[in-house]
Amino acid sequence: MRAAIVVFPGINRERDMAIALELSTGHKPRMVWHKETSLDGIDLVVLPGGFSHGDYLRCGAMAAQSPIMPAIRAHAERGGYVMGVCNGFQILTEAGLLPGALLRNAGLRFLSMDCNLRVERSDTAYAGHYTPGQVFRAPMAHGDGNYFASADTLDRLEGECLVAFRYAEADGSLTTAANRNGSQRNIAGIYSSNLRVLGLMPHPEDLVDPLMGGTDGKPLFDGLAAALAA
Amino acid sequence: MKDVNQALAAEFGLSAEEYQRVLDIMGRTPSFTELGVFSVMWSEHCSYKSSRVWLKTLPTKAPWVIHGPGENAGVVDIGEGLAAIFKMESHNHPSFIEPYQGAATGVGGILRDVFTMGARPIANLNALRFGDPKLANTKRIVDGVVRGVGGYGNCVGVPTVGGEINFHPSYNGNPLVNAMTVGIADKDKIFLSAAAGMGNPVVYVGSKTGRDGIHGATMASTEFDADSESKRPTVQVGDPFVEKLLIEACLELMATDAIVAIQDMGAAGLTSSAVEMAGKGGVGIELDLDHVPQRETHMTAYEMMLSESQERMLIVLRPDREDVARAIFEKWDLDFAVVGHITDTGHIVVKHNGVIEADIPLDPLAEQAPLYHRPTTETPKQAELGDVADPVGILPALFKLIGCPDLCSRAWVYDQYDSTVGGQTVKRPGGADAAVVRIEGKKRAVALTTDVTPRYVQADPEMGGKQAVAEAWRNITAVGALPLAITDNMNFGNPTKPEIMGQFAASIRGIAAACVALDFPVVSGNVSLYNETEGKGILPTPAIGGLGVLEDAAQAVGLAAAPGQSLVLIGSIAGHLGQSLWLREIAGREEGPPPPVDLVVERTTGDFVRTQILAGAVAGCHDIADGGLLVAITEMLMGGNTGAVLLAPPADIAEHGWWFGEDQACYVLAVTNPSALLAAASAANIPARLLGLAGGSDLTLAGGATISMIELSAEHARFFAEWMN
Amino acid sequence: MKAVVTVMLKDGVLDPQGKAIGHALATLGFAGVGEVRVGKRIELELGENDPEAARKAAEDMGRRLLANMVIESFKVEIV
Amino acid sequence: MKAVVTVMLKDGVLDPQGKAIGHALATLGFAGVGEVRVGKRIELELGENDPEAARKAAEDMGRRLLANMVIESFKVEIV
Ligand SMILES: Nc1ncnc2c1ncn2[C@@H]1O[C@H](COP(=O)(O)OP(=O)(O)O)[C@@H](O)[C@H]1O
Ligand SMILES: [Mg+2]
């Protein structure tokens, strides 16, 4: 699998993501500067976490206007794989590649701690190494992760089973306490209709090494490596 | 523009003698701009005029020290060809005036001190001291400072992995915000600030210059008074986004051979960076301010020279590399301007609109900078405490202590700091006595901590100084790391008061003694004086930032104890309650001498503990500090979600002394094989004692008194959540 | 010519910031404060001299960058 | 009665957000965009019916909570 990580000015988890991808795929991902315009030969495009353009105005709003965006959009339209994590998820919603928006956390504070994610479906390239209903841990670190979409958009997401992960308790139950940022319906991540584009707020890439407190995030990358092998 | 005379000099914070010295150096009346340059360079903040004589007595050398004090940050060899570069710096006054921006720009400033030397910043820490939590103003300042530290650190993508936060009414009008940054570089690729090379271009990069923080350096050097209000317009606003770009652009440029010298524009902005760079290089420098990127119109030379606009650096380039450099900064959308060149005149010459606004000889500016041997009086020793009755009993006291503002969970604070970005954080805040951050792509890790116990320093500045260094050393040891060096941030009151200067001198003595005994030299630091409001000074607060190294991050241990593990005390407890939190919170007294620090015992005990950890014999380790033994045990149990059954104290010690005394050089270890540890200890002549067994959901004392861990954990978590709801 | 673009959250999009301010005002003792909504005011210096052209440009900016039409609406004012 | 409190950074205080927006507009091809300043617009439902009292209340709120007088200034409008 050939992966690329898009480097927008101000993002800061590109190296974490590169480490996680290399660990599972054996290859260093290509770093693509936001002013580039081509993604030829890339299977997976990753928009990493951070504060693109300082998160000024709205998180991801300015990055969504980057020169690289048309290439990312074309890649997605071609049925290519695109994963946006944290700021990357915000950029994907701002660019209209995923529905909804990410608002300021309900408590109006930055949230940095591990959360539990419930896997809603595992028949995708991203979740193949998890099982449906499985709960795994991932660090979160964001100030604007409060997922919002109109009622009908939410119903469509649910109807088409496009919710990827939800904030849950360790036992998989969906509570308000587990839903720290106030996201609608505990949504932590969603897929595009063709299941090729994934956006999620937490950071599985920061939990792929037992030394850092666990490997709960590793199956996501192993799954991708397997699904996109060759 | 006002004419220059003694009155104006006084307004600029120069004494009559200092102004006379300016006249002697210049041989004429200085220009307005020249007076501004003298006043900031000779301010307490930049010249260390009250503290220098004492700072010189600090031990700063060791085989592993590459650069000690005198550079933008300290540099130590951590093996495998790598260097750790670190420093702590205060932003106290700005944080009182505007908590969010004050704290944010404090983080930004210390980051620049570290990456200007060629290091990629890998960790931030912050040591915070605030006033009485009962005051609404304290709440406002805490909230703003914590948001500011997080707002800046999270955005630049440097994990904030540790620090301290404490409360005492003496900080009501003078909160302390001390920020520390640690970076990693190849040890043969360190960048210094000494300018060289006749005619070499002097380049300005980063953000544009505005009228921000003019005279911030002098503000940081005076006491607060009623008219501090009027100083408010000098508040600087930080732009962490630009800082992030600046880090990446500078590191990219540093990978080339273009740089001759580089220095951040910190306090006193363009003035101090230009003066320090040329001064250290023994050359001259000429600046043409017409080329300085400006955010405002009609800025004067004085304003541009003194502006403290953030996120700016000054670089001396190889002339043939200007284009390489320009291309890099343009790629990152940062300003890049040649604003001058290096000369052989030994002067700093500042031109604006074709007029020479300043022409100052650099040697006298530095060498004749004021240096004061201020009078000192020794702090009287505290009377011995004698016996103190236990008014409430052990578990009620524990319950109260574990929930008090100085001992309760800090999660509310560090949950707002991104501690995992970078993917190398082995021990996060709250998980161990020191933060542990692995070096990307290596097994090696650094262990980091900040420590000081101001109430000890107040009671006995020398002992308190020793204790601060000892505790930093102990915290690094407690994760299994080898302590290497410290940075210090000396926060004190008004140095013109002999008793304050006495505190300063004595604590430096204590720090120095501990550094020598523990092979733990000072490689960088910062001084913040005049932390007084209406004559009331803060508790003397010499914050110590410690750095240690682990060859294999996998060997690091946290502080949690798991069910089934035995708890063993290493070190000996005399039950010292003087200046303890038990005495303050339970008996309502702030009295007595602080716990004595025996540096020989400290070292032998710590070396033993580290050996055991590296041998893999230890599952969890926590030193005894604020709150004493029982608080330490409780923290270990909360960390492992378990209870414990504890054995009785020795008969010859008062029970509350045993459980709550703050004796030094003590550790609690969680182990699976206690007898092996006890045997090893006795073989090494280290006092050790079995304390009990972890397990269950309650904490139970010999004799049956018991309390549920759920209750304790809830009380531990309560304060900040309720306070900030 | 100067344009002021005001961006507000659409009704139905909950506004935690507004709620927090309302709460804080109440605790400060301001009685009878009802709903509080927080939005952005963006002031732009435009090279334009023709008010109509300026408005068109500002509206274009609002749609393409300044507002996120999924959650926000905006108003343009030329001053 | 409704009050609108507009909070802007004082002149001379760096506005990183405005700067970034100006830059983004330029890269989007909007030529001739000069300075961009970003502030807050806070709309408050007040229990007051007397405009003067409403203004006084809103100004009080501005000073005590809505604006950070160290770096910001505010304007009140009653609608
Ligand atoms: N208390 C101290 N102990 C040791 N070194 C100190 C202390 N205070 C300042 N220094 C050193 O003096 C030099 C100048 O300090 P400072 O002006 O704070 O640096 P900068 O100008 O880069 O902020 C630095 O090398 C710093 O490490
Ligand atoms: Mg510096």
Side-chain angles (χ1 to χ4, degrees):
Chain A
M1 160 177 96
R2 286 146 311 169
I5 296 175
V6 183
V7 179
F8 299 95
I11 54 110
N12 58 34
R13 267 182 165 84
E14 70 277 19
R15 297 201 316 287
D16 315 36
M17 185 60 73
I19 291 167
L21 282 167
E22 185 174 3
L23 193 64
S24 292
T25 65
H27 312 292
K28 285 201 186 320
R30 188 177 129 205
M31 292 294 179
V32 176
W33 182 236
H34 71 122
K35 286 184 179 163
E36 292 181 39
T37 53
S38 145
L39 291 164
D40 294 348
I42 295 300
D43 305 310
L44 170 71
V45 180
V46 181
L47 284 63
F51 288 68
S52 60
H53 299 273
D55 274 1
Y56 295 135
L57 187 60
R58 288 183 318 278
C59 304
M62 298 182 206
Q65 308 288 346
S66 300
I68 189 68
M69 274 329 275
I72 295 175
R73 192 169 274 110
H75 175 81
E77 278 157 6
R78 248 185 271 116
Y81 291 89
V82 180
M83 175 168 72
V85 175
C86 198
N87 198 211
F89 184 15
Q90 296 162 335
I91 295 167
L92 290 175
T93 57
E94 280 286 340
L97 286 168
L98 287 172
L102 292 140
L103 307 178
R104 179 71 50 81
N105 292 345
L108 299 177
R109 290 187 188 279
F110 193 91
L111 292 170
S112 169
M113 70 268 297
D114 286 356
C115 61
N116 291 308
L117 295 177
R118 190 178 78 187
V119 178
E120 297 302 286
R121 63 187 291 174
S122 64
D123 57 343
T124 73
Y126 298 94
H129 283 210
Y130 293 111
T131 54
Q134 180 180 347
V135 173
F136 69 98
R137 229 168 13 101
M140 59 177 175
H142 59 252
D144 302 74
N146 182 351
Y147 185 75
F148 172 88
S150 65
D152 30 341
T153 304
L154 289 170
D155 294 337
R156 180 178 66 80
L157 288 173
E158 306 268 12
E160 297 177 29
C161 303
L162 298 180
V163 176
F165 309 107
R166 294 185 207 260
Y167 300 106
E169 301 290 344
D171 66 4
S173 56
L174 303 180
T175 63
T176 323
N179 190 33
R180 287 196 186 81
N181 58 25
S183 291
Q184 285 174 315
R185 305 189 192 183
N186 288 53
I187 290 173
I190 56 171
Y191 293 112
S192 61
S193 305
N194 67 358
L195 303 173
R196 299 295 185 89
V197 180
L198 168 68
L200 74 163
M201 284 312 297
H203 294 282
E205 74 273 21
D206 281 325
L207 213 55
V208 296
D209 179 337
L211 262 188
M212 307 306 145
T215 55
D216 283 41
K218 195 161 183 302
L220 187 143
F221 298 93
D222 292 344
L224 269 172
L228 279 67
Chain B
M1 200 174 285
K2 294 186 184 173
D3 26 342
V4 176
N5 53 33
Q6 182 154 152
L8 184 66
E11 260 181 62
F12 280 17
L14 291 171
S15 71
E17 310 84 277
E18 289 169 349
Y19 181 58
Q20 185 53 51
R21 200 177 290 198
V22 172
L23 293 176
D24 298 344
I25 291 174
M26 298 303 291
R28 59 176 165 85
T29 304
S31 71
F32 192 81
T33 304
E34 288 167 339
L35 184 68
V37 169
F38 274 99
S39 71
V40 292
M41 290 313 296
W42 288 5
S43 71
E44 193 66 64
H45 184 87
C46 294
S47 73
Y48 292 87
K49 55 191 170 192
S50 302
S51 55
R52 228 154 71 229
V53 289
W54 298 107
L55 299 182
K56 280 210 297 298
T57 67
L58 290 166
T60 60
K61 299 208 165 17
W64 52 88
V65 173
I66 298 173
H67 291 291
E71 293 301 331
N72 285 304
V75 183
V76 296
D77 187 335
I78 58 166
E80 288 185 71
L82 298 168
I85 302 184
F86 69 109
K87 181 166 185 282
M88 179 153 43
E89 184 141 313
S90 63
H91 231 213
N92 303 338
H93 298 72
S95 301
F96 178 71
I97 289 167
E98 213 305 278
Y100 183 99
Q101 292 299 341
T105 52
V107 172
I110 193 59
L111 278 162
R112 287 189 293 281
D113 271 334
V114 166
F115 72 76
T116 194
M117 297 192 74
R120 175 173 288 279
I122 64 159
N124 281 333
L125 294 87
N126 58 110
L128 311 177
R129 301 270 171 338
F130 300 107
D132 181 349
K134 290 187 204 65
L135 302 180
N137 199 40
T138 303
K139 178 174 164 176
R140 181 187 65 88
I141 294 171
V142 171
D143 184 56
V145 165
V146 169
R147 285 182 191 274
V149 168
Y152 205 100
N154 298 344
C155 184
V156 293
V158 176
T160 301
V161 297
E164 316 171 79
I165 175 168
N166 293 99
F167 299 90
H168 189 277
S170 74
Y171 303 108
N172 282 351
N174 295 86
L176 302 184
V177 175
N178 297 172
M180 171 173 165
T181 293
V182 181
I184 298 294
D186 291 346
K187 78 177 197 203
D188 53 12
K189 285 218 206 68
I190 309 295
F191 290 80
L192 304 180
S193 53
M198 212 53 47
N200 279 349
V202 175
V203 172
Y204 166 125
V205 299
S207 286
K208 291 181 169 31
T209 295
R211 294 190 171 92
D212 316 287
I214 288 169
H215 263 307
T218 36
M219 178 177 84
S221 311
T222 53
E223 241 179 84
F224 271 145
D225 46 33
D227 72 69
S228 299
E229 290 285 331
S230 64
K231 301 200 176 86
R232 282 188 158 185
T234 63
V235 170
Q236 313 115 304
V237 168
D239 187 345
F241 171 55
V242 168
E243 180 99 337
K244 169 66 172 168
L245 303 182
L246 199 51
I247 293 174
E248 300 305 330
C250 287
L251 292 176
E252 202 172 313
L253 180 62
M254 284 161 168
T256 73
D257 61 353
I259 297 176
V260 175
I262 178 167
Q263 152 108 23
D264 61 293
M265 292 193 220
L270 192 50
T271 294
S272 67
S273 46
V275 166
E276 284 175 28
M277 291 179 85
K280 283 178 185 168
V283 296
I285 187 167
E286 183 171 316
L287 300 175
D288 186 344
L289 300 184
D290 301 3
H291 302 305
V292 169
Q294 295 160 49
R295 201 175 79 229
E296 306 285 317
T297 51
H298 313 303
M299 290 191 73
T300 65
Y302 168 83
E303 290 172 325
M304 279 188 266
M305 289 305 288
L306 269 68
S307 164
E308 293 189 358
S309 293
Q310 302 290 298
E311 293 94 24
R312 304 177 301 163
M313 314 280 284
L314 202 62
I315 308 176
V316 177
L317 285 177
R318 284 178 46 173
D320 53 331
R321 292 292 188 277
E322 204 178 303
D323 297 345
V324 182
R326 183 185 301 274
I328 290 172
F329 285 89
E330 276 170 2
K331 167 187 164 191
W332 290 99
D333 287 316
L334 293 165
D335 275 292
F336 177 101
V338 177
V339 294
H341 60 275
I342 299 303
T343 67
D344 60 0
T345 62
H347 283 227
I348 176 169
V349 174
V350 178
K351 292 188 180 153
H352 188 217
N353 301 330
V355 179
I356 293 185
E357 295 284 351
D359 182 346
I360 303 173
L362 289 162
D363 286 354
L365 177 60
E367 276 140 31
Q368 291 176 48
L371 179 60
Y372 297 127
H373 299 71
R374 300 206 184 266
T376 61
T377 54
E378 288 292 311
T379 306
K381 290 265 173 286
Q382 295 274 332
E384 282 301 326
L385 194 60
D387 291 344
V388 190
D390 174 359
V392 300
I394 303 304
L395 292 182
L398 173 64
F399 186 79
K400 179 143 192 245
L401 282 171
I402 210 73
C404 78
D406 278 339
L407 286 175
C408 68
S409 167
R410 272 69 186 115
W412 177 87
V413 176
Y414 57 72
D415 283 356
Q416 299 182 59
Y417 298 156
D418 187 343
S419 55
T420 54
V421 59
Q424 306 298 323
T425 308
V426 178
K427 296 294 176 210
R428 300 186 201 174
D433 280 352
V436 176
V437 181
R438 190 176 62 184
I439 314 298
E440 191 177 309
K442 310 268 183 202
K443 286 181 140 192
R444 199 164 286 268
V446 288
L448 311 167
T449 180
T450 72
D451 299 282
V452 61
T453 313
R455 63 183 187 277
Y456 294 175
V457 186
Q458 169 89 347
D460 181 340
E462 179 161 3
M463 194 59 82
K466 273 189 200 168
Q467 193 276 340
V469 176
E471 186 172 351
W473 188 87
R474 202 183 305 143
N475 282 330
I476 290 166
T477 295
V479 298
L482 181 67
L484 290 182
I486 66 171
T487 181
D488 67 284
N489 204 144
M490 308 288 289
N491 308 275
F492 287 75
N494 182 343
T496 63
K497 296 182 179 173
E499 56 286 8
I500 300 291
M501 217 48 222
Q503 291 175 335
F504 189 94
S507 51
I508 288 274
R509 276 204 309 274
I511 290 169
C515 291
V516 170
L518 301 172
D519 273 315
F520 204 29
V522 175
V523 296
S524 68
N526 177 247
V527 176
S528 171
L529 300 174
Y530 296 96
N531 292 286
E532 294 202 3
T533 302
E534 266 109 41
K536 282 188 249 69
I538 57 167
L539 294 182
T541 311
I544 301 298
L547 177 138
V549 66
L550 272 151
E551 292 193 355
D552 181 354
Q555 293 180 305
V557 299
L559 55 69
Q565 292 171 351
S566 299
L567 302 174
V568 176
L569 169 70
I570 301 294
S572 54
I573 289 179
H576 185 100
L577 289 172
Q579 298 300 333
S580 67
L581 283 181
W582 181 90
L583 190 70
R584 191 181 84 193
E585 298 294 318
I586 307 299
R589 298 162 55 182
E590 299 183 44
E591 297 167 34
V597 177
D598 181 325
L599 294 165
V600 175
V601 173
E602 190 73 57
R603 180 153 193 166
T604 48
T605 312
D607 288 345
F608 172 78
V609 169
R610 189 182 314 105
T611 314
Q612 293 299 310
I613 293 172
L614 295 181
V618 181
C621 179
H622 191 16
D623 77 315
I624 295 182
D626 283 346
L629 174 61
L630 194 54
V631 165
I633 292 173
T634 306
E635 288 167 345
M636 296 175 78
L637 300 177
M638 287 188 297
N641 296 314
T642 177
V645 176
L646 301 181
L647 304 170
D652 58 341
I653 295 183
E655 216 185 335
H656 55 300
W658 170 260
W659 292 122
F660 301 116
E662 295 180 1
D663 301 85
Q664 300 295 296
C666 294
Y667 302 76
V668 179
L669 276 55
V671 297
T672 48
N673 184 346
S675 42
L677 177 62
L678 292 167
S682 72
N685 280 312
I686 303 286
R689 180 184 174 95
L690 185 63
L691 293 168
L693 183 67
S697 56
D698 300 332
L699 176 60
T700 307
L701 302 179
T706 184
I707 183 169
S708 104
M709 289 304 298
I710 295 178
E711 243 177 278
L712 281 172
S713 303
E715 181 62 9
H716 190 53
R718 189 180 48 80
F719 171 72
F720 276 103
E722 279 184 7
W723 196 35
M724 293 292 176
N725 63 357
Chain C
M1 201 131 236
K2 193 163 158 193
V4 177
V5 180
T6 310
V7 182
M8 300 297 290
L9 286 169
K10 289 180 173 162
D11 308 335
V13 179
L14 117 159
D15 174 4
Q17 220 177 339
K19 264 181 52 208
I21 289 177
H23 178 79
L25 286 172
T27 50
L28 278 178
F30 291 100
V33 178
E35 202 195 10
V36 181
R37 307 281 294 172
V38 182
K40 297 191 196 88
R41 174 186 173 91
I42 304 166
E43 303 180 350
L44 307 140
E45 286 296 341
L46 299 183
E48 279 298 341
N49 299 331
D50 161 29
E52 261 334 290
R55 169 176 304 281
K56 262 196 68 329
E59 271 165 0
D60 204 13
M61 295 173 189
R63 262 188 310 278
R64 288 182 56 196
L65 181 70
L66 303 181
N68 173 349
M69 304 310 278
V70 176
I71 47 171
E72 298 169 323
S73 60
F74 69 93
K75 262 186 12 287
V76 171
E77 212 185 318
I78 302 298
V79 290
Chain D
M1 200 133 234
K2 192 163 160 195
V4 176
V5 180
T6 312
V7 181
M8 301 295 293
L9 285 166
K10 290 180 177 164
D11 296 341
V13 175
L14 173 69
D15 180 357
Q17 181 157 233
K19 197 176 130 225
I21 292 172
H23 184 80
L25 287 171
T27 50
L28 276 179
F30 291 100
V33 178
E35 202 193 11
V36 180
R37 305 283 289 174
V38 182
K40 284 199 219 76
R41 174 187 171 90
I42 304 163
E43 304 180 348
L44 306 140
E45 286 297 343
L46 299 182
E48 278 299 339
N49 298 331
D50 162 30
E52 262 333 291
R55 170 176 303 282
K56 265 195 68 326
E59 273 167 358
D60 205 15
M61 295 173 187
R63 262 188 309 278
R64 290 178 57 195
L65 181 75
L66 304 179
N68 173 354
M69 300 306 283
V70 178
I71 51 177
E72 298 171 325
S73 61
F74 69 92
K75 261 187 15 283
V76 171
E77 211 185 319
I78 303 296
V79 291

